[in-house]
Amino acid sequence: MTDLVAPALVAPQLVVNSRMIYFGWLPADPDAVAALVPKGLEPIANRQVFMNQYVVDDEGQTSGFGAYSLTYIGPDLAGLDAPDGVTPGRWWTHYFNSSPVVREYAAARGAPASVGRTMIEIRGRRLVATTEADGVPVIRTTARVGRTGDAVNRGQLRYITDVGGRRLSGIYPFVAEPVDPFEIESLEFLEPNHSTWSLRPANPLEITWGFYSPRSSFAYPGGESPLS
């Protein structure tokens, strides 16, 4: 029997008031999504995909990361729910980040960090979020958004990563103020030859959950422990 070794401690980081659109959908190719889940983990039955596109506009919004933008995406997992017992655990397949500081930090925790940029633009009630990988637009989200009200989303999310062949479970606390109304109007995967194409949505688009918040706060790296 192999002894479990605790993950190395890293300085925690706090991010406040990021502009964030986070949602899930059913994929066009469920088998392709399932193939992205590594051995030992199991995709959720409906092969649901998640994506978070967010922007941190100012270095004063972080405890040490500085300003940056990020899109991460991947399949939901079965049997590894977050502490609420409802929200699925998640596996990152892509992690497009604009900051070398954040990329280095995230890669050390097992994220597949690569160079990318995320832009979120709002005109009136129309939001457009565009993700670039190495300068090439690969994903574009268009949504209808309203104003923030009295509602607050809060809790913890669970992400599973692999660090040197060792699986880690990370619990990430968050607090977000969602807008109302909120509706995804379109989700476009722009590059058929890019690896993100496997995660493209079914047609017609079926969104399973989601929100946009102009004030979303969370902590890195979360409470980490070996995945037994």
Side-chain angles (χ1 to χ4, degrees):
M1 179 177 179
T2 301
D3 292 335
L4 294 177
V5 179
L9 294 177
V10 294
Q13 297 289 342
L14 181 65
V15 178
V16 299
N17 296 334
S18 67
R19 297 185 290 124
M20 175 183 291
I21 182 167
Y22 195 10
F23 61 101
W25 64 87
L26 298 186
D29 189 342
D31 291 340
V33 171
L36 296 173
V37 177
K39 185 177 180 180
L41 302 176
E42 182 181 348
I44 199 169
N46 66 0
R47 305 306 194 248
Q48 180 172 286
V49 178
F50 67 87
M51 181 172 67
N52 191 344
Q53 296 169 292
Y54 73 83
V55 176
V56 179
D57 292 293
D58 185 86
E59 64 178 8
Q61 294 171 242
T62 79
S63 56
F65 277 163
Y68 70 96
S69 65
L70 170 62
T71 293
Y72 61 69
I73 184 171
D76 283 347
L77 301 174
L80 293 169
D81 290 347
D84 63 8
V86 176
T87 305
R90 291 171 176 154
W91 174 260
W92 287 316
T93 60
H94 299 80
Y95 193 99
F96 302 114
N97 197 290
S98 65
S99 165
V101 172
V102 183
R103 288 198 301 272
E104 181 179 1
Y105 183 97
R109 310 319 305 149
S114 62
V115 177
R117 183 172 67 139
T118 301
M119 296 150 287
I120 297 177
E121 301 176 335
I122 298 179
R123 294 183 180 179
R125 292 193 172 186
R126 188 171 187 262
L127 177 151
V128 178
T130 304
T131 297
E132 293 182 352
D134 285 320
V136 177
V138 292
I139 304 172
R140 181 167 56 230
T141 304
T142 302
R144 184 172 65 92
V145 298
R147 296 182 178 180
T148 53
D150 297 327
V152 177
N153 296 343
R154 61 176 71 88
Q156 295 86 27
L157 299 175
R158 188 181 196 188
Y159 297 99
I160 308 302
T161 59
D162 188 296
V163 179
R166 179 185 59 189
R167 295 273 165 78
L168 296 181
S169 168
I171 305 297
Y172 294 71
F174 72 93
V175 177
E177 300 173 51
V179 302
D180 186 27
F182 170 76
E183 180 185 2
I184 300 292
E185 295 183 340
S186 65
L187 173 59
E188 301 167 87
F189 280 62
L190 305 172
E191 286 293 324
N193 294 322
H194 194 271
S195 59
T196 52
W197 185 253
S198 295
L199 299 159
R200 68 194 184 280
N203 185 13
L205 178 64
E206 186 171 350
I207 301 298
T208 53
W209 61 275
F211 68 87
Y212 170 69
S213 172
R215 292 189 292 275
S216 184
S217 304
F218 50 92
Y220 269 87
E224 290 184 310
S225 61
L227 185 65
S228 57

